[in-house]
Amino acid sequence: EQRHQHLAAQLCSAATMGGGDGSLRHVVHKRVHLERHQPKARKKLGYLEKHKDYVKRAKDFHKKQETIQKLHRKAYFKNEDEFAFGMVNHFTSKEGKAMQKKSHMTKEEMQLAESQDARYIRMREQIDKKAVQKRSERLHFLDADKPNKHVLFVDEDEQAGGSTASGSSSSSAQSRKSKSLKDFDVAAHFDTHPALLGRKANRPRLKQLETSNFAASAVHDAAAKEAYHELFERQERAKKLSKVREELELRSNMRTKGRVKKVAEASKDKPAQFKWMYDRKR
């Protein structure tokens, strides 16, 4: 011990003589104070925690606290109306994790099934369109509802039954002219029965009504009405099948590779429109 003290005194004096910066004081051996281990009497309690162990434990504790604070802040500022398209194919498990819904079919199998459905629907659509075309060629749409009307232009002089030059007095002519147009007999003008005035076609005259068969005409009218009804039903079904086919074709195309950009939103008559971005080939 005395030897070490003497050596330290000499080094300090040399450092003072050399300039007084004390650069040689680190050369002197210093005692390293080690942390004690667990005493033998407390050995049953396990390993005695050192400072480095406390640092690790403190960092882990603060890291967990910061994570909890971030989750609290995220839950506080959460938007209740928030929606992401991933929510459609995911659900929240009991542990609070987002899990993807399992499908009984693979992506390729789904694409094949939708392509088969689209083919069948396209076939049914073509059948209805051909039937509509055949019906349209046979029917003339004479009795169909149209926005136009049949307007009759009646002159008051003609309605009065002649002019004043025919020898009648002026008073009688004025009385005939003052007759209201509401009293005009449309059935007599068309020479038909008043019950047939609502028809736009196949309106027989009175002489034809006396000689024709009403039972046959009634059957013909019922058949024509049924044909128009079937034509309308097939047209509506063809439109619905066309919409379903376009939707299935869109789903099938969306499963292909490539970057996709939405061009237009879906409307009542057609699905959403997408555009595939061009990828330069090597």
Side-chain angles (χ1 to χ4, degrees), residues 12-246:
C12 290
S13 62
T16 305
M17 291 174 60
D21 56 352
S23 60
L24 298 177
R25 62 182 179 178
H26 300 291
V27 181
V28 181
H29 177 71
K30 292 184 179 181
R31 181 179 179 182
V32 179
H33 297 275
L34 301 176
E35 292 181 295
R36 67 184 181 90
H37 57 80
Q38 186 72 281
K40 190 177 292 186
R42 296 172 56 88
K43 202 168 187 179
K44 61 180 180 180
L45 300 177
Y47 177 74
L48 181 64
E49 187 185 52
K50 303 297 189 294
H51 179 71
K52 61 179 181 179
D53 301 323
Y54 161 75
V55 172
K56 290 182 181 179
R57 183 164 54 85
K59 287 182 178 179
D60 182 65
F61 173 78
H62 289 297
K63 184 179 179 181
K64 292 178 179 178
Q65 288 295 112
E66 290 176 0
T67 304
I68 293 174
Q69 289 179 1
K70 288 180 181 179
L71 291 176
H72 278 300
R73 192 180 301 109
K74 190 175 181 180
Y76 181 80
F77 291 105
K78 179 183 177 182
N79 183 10
E80 298 294 337
D81 299 330
E82 182 181 3
F83 173 77
F85 287 99
M87 297 179 183
V88 178
N89 300 324
H90 291 75
F91 67 97
T92 305
S93 62
K94 295 181 180 180
E95 294 80 10
K97 296 182 180 180
M99 306 294 293
Q100 189 173 5
K101 296 180 181 179
K102 294 183 180 180
S103 177
H104 65 285
M105 299 177 66
T106 61
K107 184 177 180 180
E108 291 77 11
E109 292 174 347
M110 288 288 294
Q111 189 172 0
L112 178 60
E114 289 180 357
S115 64
Q116 295 290 340
D117 294 341
R119 291 175 187 173
Y120 174 74
I121 292 175
R122 188 184 299 110
M123 181 189 69
R124 297 301 308 176
E125 181 186 0
Q126 293 297 329
I127 291 174
D128 288 339
K129 285 185 177 180
K130 289 182 179 179
V132 168
Q133 184 178 2
K134 289 182 179 179
R135 290 280 182 180
S136 301
E137 291 175 354
R138 289 164 51 187
L139 298 175
H140 302 287
F141 298 96
L142 298 177
D143 293 333
D145 294 334
K146 297 179 181 179
N148 56 344
K149 297 180 180 180
H150 191 177
V151 181
L152 294 177
F153 296 93
V154 181
D155 192 4
E156 292 182 354
D157 296 336
E158 295 178 358
Q159 185 182 359
S163 61
T164 56
S166 61
S168 60
S169 62
S170 60
S171 60
S172 61
Q174 291 295 332
S175 63
R176 290 177 181 177
K177 288 183 179 181
S178 63
K179 189 176 181 180
S180 175
L181 291 176
K182 294 182 179 181
D183 298 334
F184 180 73
D185 193 358
V186 182
H189 177 77
F190 287 111
D191 191 18
T192 185
H193 194 273
L196 302 177
L197 291 176
R199 290 189 176 186
K200 297 184 178 180
N202 193 18
R203 186 192 300 137
R205 299 181 180 274
L206 293 175
K207 292 182 179 180
Q208 295 175 345
L209 291 174
E210 294 175 358
T211 59
S212 62
N213 187 4
F214 291 97
S217 62
V219 172
H220 178 268
D221 295 341
K225 186 176 181 181
E226 184 179 357
Y228 282 116
H229 180 72
E230 183 181 354
L231 176 63
F232 176 75
E233 291 294 332
R234 286 188 176 272
Q235 286 177 342
E236 292 297 321
R237 188 167 62 180
K239 291 180 182 179
K240 294 180 181 178
L241 289 174
S242 177
K243 290 170 61 177
V244 175
R245 176 183 54 80
E246 291 177 357

